[in-house]
Amino acid sequence: MVQVRSPLTQTPEWQALSKHQSQLAGVHMRTLFRDDPERFHRFSLSAAGLHLDYSKNRIDRSTLGLLTALAEVRDLCAVRDAMFSGRPINNTEQRPALHIALRASPEQDIRVDGVNIVPEVQATLKRMEAFVEQVHSGARTGYQGDSLTDVVSIGIGGSYLGPRMMTEALRPFTRNGVRCHYVANIDGTDISEVLKIVKPETTLFLIQSKSFGTQETLENSKLARQWLKDAGVTDDDLARHFVAVTANAAAAHDFGIAEDAVFPMWDWVGGRYSLWSAIGLPIALTLGMDNFRRILDGARAMDEHFRDAPLQENMPVVMALLGIWYVNFWNADTHAILTYDEYLKELPAHLQQLDMESNGKQVDRDGKPVDYATGPVIWGGVGANGQHAYHQLLHQGTVLSPADFIIPLQSHNPVANHHATLFANCLAQSQALMQGKTEEEAWAELTAQGLPQEEVDRLAPHKVIPGNKPSNTLTFEKATPEVLGALVALYEHRTFVQGVIWNLNSFDQWGVELGKQLGKPILQQLTEGVHNEDVDSSTAGLMQLFRGE
Ligand code: F6P
């Protein structure tokens, strides 16, 4: 593993960026655009069917060079090669991070402990294909011999967000056949609402859990099993209604999953990077295995771009470095994902886990506290709705939140003039964030409306939009399986690059363990009458409320 040679903030490259920021702090993007008519073309990139316009950023022609110099001093290329070649870059768990192997082409050779894992990945894809065919053809039936009409995917986090996002994003490609439902939350409402609309005799449950130990997933799976039993399904027939995707086949077997109904997950795939694996079964069942393979093809195209393109022409690298620029040199604590495509409305939630669970850390790979900011809060939503909800803060708030606008050039639903109107809204928002409105312009506008002078003077300061707020705009022809694969892979590599610069292990998530540990005794105290006096008064008081004491 390439060792980082010196503390990040002490490097000359970091110092140069800090100086550069102070030079640019007084420069408005209006000026940068006025002085360079070629700015759009100069700061645009295309790769794997995506076009990135990063011209509306607080950068000049030297910025990217300074940023890539920082990437080089952090040995980005060597660490990237280490990831692609299966080195154990997840250092706290001593594992590789090989989600790229899940979408590798069959002839590739990617080794873990000396063994090429691509054949096993390909064999699993073939098993997935056969399974999807069995379900779609009606060959796989329920306990009364009926074809399966509904699949309920039970899983949470990476075993839920990726598949749900992808099936929603590619809804126009849905195959007639099974309806797919998702259950994630331990809130009984989640599974209850689904069980209201499916029937035991025609429902298949997919238990999606790498560990097969996640409380929410196990409790929901047990409830599903009882629901089937209550409907009269015998123990012998239960297995017909369950399939599991897990790295823990023994636990799946103990639950009652038939051996040939367990699809593998591997230790070298992190949950938030797993939709490309058999965790993607809901995607394949909903869209067809051919479309699932097209998603993999799109991701592979982005992998190859990330692996081969020079840093300054490398889309994931450029987006990652611009993120570093704002987090570490402009004190931006958040980053917005604004999807101007109704089908992409679940994308921000998936990217939240991808990025925040990867880089929401305060110690580096060696366990030393960092002295710089790391992963920002990832948030966002669907445009144009956000314009009528939170864009006020983006335009006039005191919080700097760089934004990624994501919009197709063509809609799957070209009704009336809607897509042109959506597109105009998207461009207007990023333009307004960039150029703003000066007090003089606000004053002139109000005066032109014929308002009395004192009204003009009173209102003008409230109408000023500072502008100079950075954004990227990602476009693509149309949201196809290949484009979605490339788009999600783009953000996976963006997250990876930032983790390398910050010297983090982006592939573990120790921070989620404490909540799970504390939940166990609290549950006992809520349900088993166990009283633990040695607990803070807030928790004790709230437990009393729950118990009605
Ligand atoms: O608790 C966090 C987490 O481990 C995520 O990283 C993961 O995606 C999710 O829980 C579900 O884990 P599993 O697939 O093992 O049920």
Side-chain angles (χ1 to χ4, degrees):
M1 189 61 209
V2 183
Q3 289 306 318
V4 172
R5 283 188 294 278
S6 63
L8 178 59
T9 55
Q10 310 306 316
T11 59
E13 292 76 9
W14 181 280
Q15 306 294 332
L17 281 162
S18 189
K19 182 163 171 278
H20 187 54
Q21 187 279 338
S22 54
Q23 291 163 345
L24 280 177
V27 177
H28 202 288
M29 274 193 264
R30 283 186 178 213
T31 310
L32 297 172
F33 272 97
R34 186 196 64 210
D35 295 350
D36 178 5
E38 284 307 301
R39 190 171 171 85
F40 168 74
H41 294 296
R42 189 184 312 288
F43 298 130
S44 279
L45 277 177
S46 291
L50 304 179
H51 179 274
L52 169 69
D53 166 18
Y54 65 99
S55 60
K56 295 191 183 99
N57 275 291
R58 300 198 65 173
I59 59 175
D60 66 14
R61 295 190 201 188
S62 68
T63 312
L64 204 51
L66 294 170
L67 286 167
T68 48
L70 181 67
E72 282 155 0
V73 82
R74 303 302 279 180
D75 298 310
L76 172 61
C77 295
V79 184
R80 177 187 58 190
D81 297 345
M83 174 179 75
F84 273 79
S85 58
R87 302 277 296 283
I89 61 168
N90 173 355
N91 62 312
T92 61
E93 295 176 306
Q94 286 301 307
R95 293 171 182 170
L98 274 171
H99 36 289
I100 55 113
L102 298 172
R103 59 243 190 173
S105 45
E107 69 280 358
Q108 280 182 259
D109 183 340
I110 302 171
R111 293 179 183 260
V112 173
D113 299 330
V115 176
N116 180 9
I117 56 173
V118 172
E120 189 180 359
V121 168
Q122 293 297 317
T124 303
L125 288 170
K126 284 197 171 52
R127 278 190 62 204
M128 289 172 66
E129 192 147 38
F131 173 75
V132 169
E133 177 50 31
Q134 276 179 350
V135 173
H136 282 184
S137 65
R140 180 162 182 134
T141 59
Y143 71 103
Q144 290 180 340
D146 305 278
S147 299
L148 298 167
T149 58
D150 292 87
V151 171
V152 179
S153 174
I154 301 177
I156 197 165
S159 298
Y160 158 63
L161 291 165
R164 185 190 65 167
M165 174 275 299
M166 204 52 97
T167 48
E168 183 58 37
L170 293 171
R171 199 193 293 191
F173 296 84
T174 298
R175 282 287 149 70
N176 295 329
V178 293
R179 292 184 310 166
C180 211
H181 315 269
Y182 294 92
V183 171
N185 205 340
I186 191 62
D187 175 343
T189 298
D190 204 3
I191 193 164
S192 302
E193 285 300 330
V194 169
L195 296 184
K196 282 179 192 169
I197 57 173
V198 295
K199 291 186 289 185
E201 59 272 23
T202 56
T203 299
L204 177 74
F205 291 97
L206 274 183
I207 303 179
Q208 306 255 77
S209 178
K210 179 177 177 181
S211 62
F212 217 92
T214 301
Q215 178 189 42
E216 297 90 341
T217 302
L218 291 184
E219 293 310 313
N220 278 321
S221 301
K222 288 177 202 164
L223 192 128
R225 183 172 56 191
Q226 191 56 51
W227 179 75
L228 289 169
K229 284 183 168 181
D230 294 347
V233 182
T234 64
D235 285 355
D236 289 347
D237 279 337
L238 270 177
R240 299 172 70 158
H241 292 267
F242 282 100
V243 166
V245 182
T246 184
N248 188 347
H253 180 266
D254 292 347
F255 182 88
I257 311 281
E259 199 166 329
D260 66 355
V262 177
F263 289 84
M265 274 187 83
W266 298 283
D267 277 349
W268 39 263
V269 179
R272 52 194 175 273
Y273 298 89
S274 66
L275 72 84
W276 326 95
S277 71
I279 286 287
L281 263 179
I283 304 169
L285 284 163
T286 307
L287 308 179
M289 193 64 193
D290 55 338
N291 282 320
F292 184 74
R293 286 183 184 279
R294 288 175 59 189
I295 295 170
L296 300 182
D297 293 345
R300 185 171 61 253
M302 182 54 74
D303 294 343
E304 290 162 358
H305 166 74
F306 174 50
R307 185 193 59 204
D308 301 336
L311 296 188
Q312 294 198 29
E313 296 155 35
N314 195 307
M315 197 178 282
V317 173
V318 168
M319 286 181 70
L321 292 175
L322 288 169
I324 296 264
W325 181 227
Y326 297 118
V327 167
N328 296 109
F329 298 93
W330 298 83
N331 303 318
D333 297 329
T334 82
H335 188 94
I337 306 290
L338 307 176
T339 54
Y340 274 69
D341 179 332
E342 194 70 20
Y343 289 133
L344 293 182
K345 61 176 176 283
E346 304 298 350
L347 183 62
H350 174 67
L351 298 183
Q352 275 184 325
Q353 186 199 8
L354 174 66
D355 203 90
M356 295 169 77
E357 200 169 76
S358 293
N359 293 336
K361 290 160 188 173
Q362 60 178 3
V363 298
D364 65 19
R365 301 176 60 78
D366 307 316
K368 295 192 181 64
V370 296
D371 64 352
Y372 43 82
T374 57
V377 173
I378 303 293
W379 65 285
V382 70
N385 302 18
Q387 298 166 207
H388 305 272
Y390 38 76
H391 281 217
Q392 162 62 41
L393 177 139
L394 293 177
H395 290 295
Q396 288 188 324
T398 56
V399 169
L400 171 62
S401 180
D404 292 346
F405 289 89
I406 300 173
I407 187 164
L409 298 178
Q410 284 185 61
S411 166
H412 283 288
N413 300 292
V415 292
N417 203 25
H418 282 50
H419 195 60
T421 307
L422 178 74
F423 207 84
N425 269 280
C426 181
L427 267 51
Q429 289 299 311
S430 68
Q431 189 182 52
L433 286 170
M434 180 275 289
Q435 72 180 36
K437 179 185 288 183
T438 64
E439 182 147 9
E440 294 70 28
E441 287 163 344
W443 192 88
E445 209 171 80
L446 291 163
T447 304
Q449 289 168 18
L451 292 177
Q453 191 56 49
E454 62 278 11
E455 272 294 90
V456 171
D457 295 342
R458 185 174 66 83
L459 281 177
H462 300 280
K463 298 239 178 184
V464 172
I465 310 275
N468 232 2
K469 306 281 179 93
S471 70
N472 298 311
T473 301
L474 269 168
T475 56
F476 41 83
E477 199 54 43
K478 208 169 190 178
T480 62
E482 292 86 351
V483 162
L484 261 295
L487 183 63
V488 175
L490 165 65
Y491 277 93
E492 288 181 344
H493 296 318
R494 176 188 184 278
T495 297
F496 169 75
V497 171
Q498 293 190 337
V500 171
I501 305 285
W502 290 323
N503 191 30
L504 304 176
N505 176 4
S506 298
F507 299 101
D508 61 14
Q509 54 283 328
W510 300 113
V512 303
E513 298 308 321
L514 178 59
K516 296 178 184 177
Q517 288 160 8
L518 296 177
K520 294 192 175 79
I522 290 175
L523 179 59
Q524 272 187 330
Q525 294 177 71
L526 293 180
T527 54
E528 297 167 21
V530 171
H531 275 64
N532 167 7
E533 303 313 322
D534 177 25
V535 70
D536 64 275
S537 64
S538 167
T539 306
L542 293 167
M543 288 195 290
Q544 277 178 327
L545 288 176
F546 182 85
R547 289 192 297 253
E549 293 165 358

